[in-house]
């Protein structure tokens, strides 16, 4: 279930990131290049990798850390990306929201990392081969 959610949300981020890239190419306005890169990396790549991790080791998806990662990360990424885009488009007063969102994304990443460090055992790797 958690893996499936990560894959589906990641696919939506892929479409969003690529669409922004196509828009920038068509308009020759690359102001939002950092947003495009972050949507692709944080949205598509990180969620795809988290989904693969949860699919391969489903016990990791059942932890409180997995839930904290998923919800924190998937609320923070769109908020921070929207705020970042607006900052680049001339709304510098939203920079603190970018910082708060970035911290929340970081916290979600820490939850995922702690989940792996605390709950993935060497024996899980041996069984997975």
């Amino acid at each position: 279930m958690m893996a499936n959610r990560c894959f589906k949300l990641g696919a939506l981020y892929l479409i969003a990131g690529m669409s922004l890239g196509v828009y920038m190419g068509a308009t020759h306005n690359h102001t939002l290049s950092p947003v495009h890169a972050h949507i692709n990396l944080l949205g598509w790549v990180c969620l795809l990798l988290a989904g693969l991790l949860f699919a391969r080791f489903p016990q990791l998806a059942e932890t409180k850390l997995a839930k904290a990662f998923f919800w924190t990360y998937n609320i923070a990424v769109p908020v921070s990306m929207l705020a970042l885009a607006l900052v680049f488009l001339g709304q510098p007063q939203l920079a603190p929201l970018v910082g708060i969102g970035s911290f929340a994304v970081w916290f979600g990443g820490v939850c995922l990392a702690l989940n792996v460090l605390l709950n993935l055992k060497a024996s899980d790797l041996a069984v997975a081969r």
Side-chain angles (χ1 to χ4, degrees):
M1 180 79 151
M2 182 76 72
N4 193 35
R5 288 180 187 166
C6 288
F7 292 147
K8 288 183 176 187
L9 283 172
L12 292 175
Y13 279 115
L14 175 66
I15 293 167
M18 292 178 77
S19 297
L20 182 54
V22 168
Y23 168 78
M24 289 186 308
T27 62
H28 303 285
N29 180 349
H30 295 89
T31 302
L32 297 177
S33 291
V35 179
H36 160 72
H38 279 82
I39 289 172
N40 286 323
L41 181 61
L42 294 174
W44 167 238
V45 175
C46 288
L47 280 179
L48 175 70
L49 291 173
L52 289 172
L53 184 69
F54 293 140
R56 186 72 164 163
F57 306 104
Q59 72 277 15
L60 295 180
E62 301 304 319
T63 67
K64 289 181 182 179
L65 283 167
K67 290 167 185 53
F69 156 73
F70 183 83
W71 289 108
T72 302
Y73 196 85
N74 287 299
I75 291 169
V77 169
V79 168
S80 60
M81 290 303 96
L82 179 60
L84 184 61
L86 292 171
V87 166
F88 280 117
L89 293 173
Q91 301 294 321
Q93 69 274 16
L94 294 176
L97 189 56
V98 176
I100 292 167
S102 296
F103 178 80
V105 170
W106 171 83
F107 178 79
V110 168
C111 289
L112 182 62
L114 285 174
N115 193 9
V116 171
L117 293 170
L118 297 173
N119 297 310
L120 187 63
K121 314 260 184 292
S123 60
D124 296 332
L125 298 173
V127 172
R129 291 182 188 179

